[in-house]
Amino acid sequence: MQAQPLSRGSQPETVVIVDDDPLVRGSMESLFRSVGLAARSHASAIDALQAPLPDGASCLVVDVRMPHLGGFELQQRLSEQGAQVPIVFVTGHGDIPMSVRAMKAGAIDFLPKPFRDQDMLDAVQTALAGDRARRAQRDIVRQVREQHARLTPREREVMAGVVRGLLNKQIAYELGLSEITVKLHRSSMMKKLSLRTVPDLVRTAQIVADC
C-alpha cells in the first residue's frame, strides 16, 4: 500500500516517533514528511508521556528498548491513561516472543531494524486508518448521545416501543395514548435523531445503550 501525499488544505495526520537514536528519529521524520505526513519525535518514552498527543489522527512509532522506560512500558502507561493511539513497534533486538507480546497488547505491527521504508509506511498507514475509524466512530457516538438527550421523556418511551418492534397502536395502548399522538411523537423523535428507518433507529438505540 503506497502512501499518498495529502491534498492541500487538509490537516496532516501525525506520526509520533519515540526512539533514543537521533539518526533513526531524523531518518523516520524525513520519510514520513516525504509522503505528506506530519512528524514529531521524542528521545525517550518519558518525554513522550509528558507531551500531549496530536489532536488529529495519529499513531506512534516506538522503539522497544530504550533507557529508563521501554516501548512496552510506554504502551502500558498510555493505556492506563485512556489514550487509544495505535502503536507500531520497532527494535534492533527483536525475537518471536517479543513480537507476540507486542501484538497481543494491541500493536499494529512489529518491525525489526533495519526495516524497509515501504514496510514502515504500510504499517503507519494501517495504524492511521485505524485511528481515523476510531475517531469517526467516537464522533458518531457523541452525536447520537447529543441527539438522544434532546428527546422528551415521552419520545423516549415511543422510541423504546418502536425498537421492541411494536406497532403504533400497540405503543398507544401501552402508554395510554391515542394512535395519532404516538405517530406525532414518533415523527418528532425520528427528526430529532436525523433518522428515516426503523433499522437505523435500532442501531441508534444500541449505541445509546452501550454508552
Side-chain angles (χ1 to χ4, degrees):
M1 177 172 54
Q2 179 66 46
Q4 298 295 326
L6 296 179
S7 60
R8 291 184 180 182
S10 61
Q11 181 180 2
E13 297 169 333
T14 305
V15 183
V16 180
I17 304 154
V18 187
D19 197 303
D20 60 327
D21 187 331
L23 294 179
V24 172
R25 294 198 304 273
S27 175
M28 284 199 283
E29 284 186 18
S30 297
L31 173 64
F32 298 136
R33 287 170 180 161
S34 73
V35 295
L37 297 172
R40 73 186 198 202
S41 63
H42 302 284
S44 72
I46 295 175
D47 288 346
L49 286 170
Q50 293 174 342
L53 291 170
D55 291 332
S58 61
C59 70
L60 298 181
V61 176
V62 181
D63 192 9
V64 172
R65 296 188 179 181
M66 293 179 288
H68 308 300
L69 196 69
F72 292 145
E73 289 74 23
L74 172 60
Q75 182 185 38
Q76 182 177 352
R77 296 278 186 91
L78 289 171
S79 178
E80 291 170 352
Q81 294 175 5
Q84 296 177 298
V85 58
I87 298 177
V88 175
F89 282 113
V90 296
T91 182
H93 310 278
D95 54 28
I96 292 177
M98 185 180 290
S99 62
V100 170
R101 175 184 175 186
M103 303 306 283
K104 283 186 175 180
I108 298 299
D109 211 335
F110 187 95
L111 301 177
K113 297 177 182 178
F115 47 79
R116 292 175 59 248
D117 286 353
Q118 191 59 52
D119 289 341
M120 174 57 73
L121 291 176
D122 288 346
V124 163
Q125 291 287 35
T126 298
L128 291 173
D131 200 45
R132 286 195 301 271
R134 179 189 65 81
R135 289 170 179 272
Q137 181 61 27
R138 180 196 62 188
D139 292 343
I140 289 172
V141 170
R142 180 187 299 118
Q143 180 182 9
V144 167
R145 292 181 63 181
E146 291 174 352
Q147 291 173 328
H148 185 262
R150 292 198 291 268
L151 298 182
T152 66
R154 186 65 82 187
E155 287 168 348
R156 294 182 188 184
E157 291 176 335
V158 171
M159 176 179 175
V162 176
V163 170
R164 287 164 52 204
L166 299 181
L167 301 175
N168 288 339
K169 62 181 179 181
Q170 293 172 312
I171 297 172
Y173 177 79
E174 283 195 357
L175 299 181
L177 303 172
S178 67
E179 188 173 348
I180 187 62
T181 300
V182 169
K183 288 181 179 180
L184 291 173
H185 284 308
R186 180 168 176 166
S187 175
S188 175
M189 174 263 296
M190 295 293 281
K191 286 180 180 178
K192 288 181 180 179
L193 296 176
S194 302
L195 301 176
R196 292 186 177 182
T197 69
V198 172
D200 288 339
L201 181 64
V202 171
R203 286 190 287 270
T204 295
Q206 186 60 55
I207 291 174
V208 173
D210 291 341
C211 291

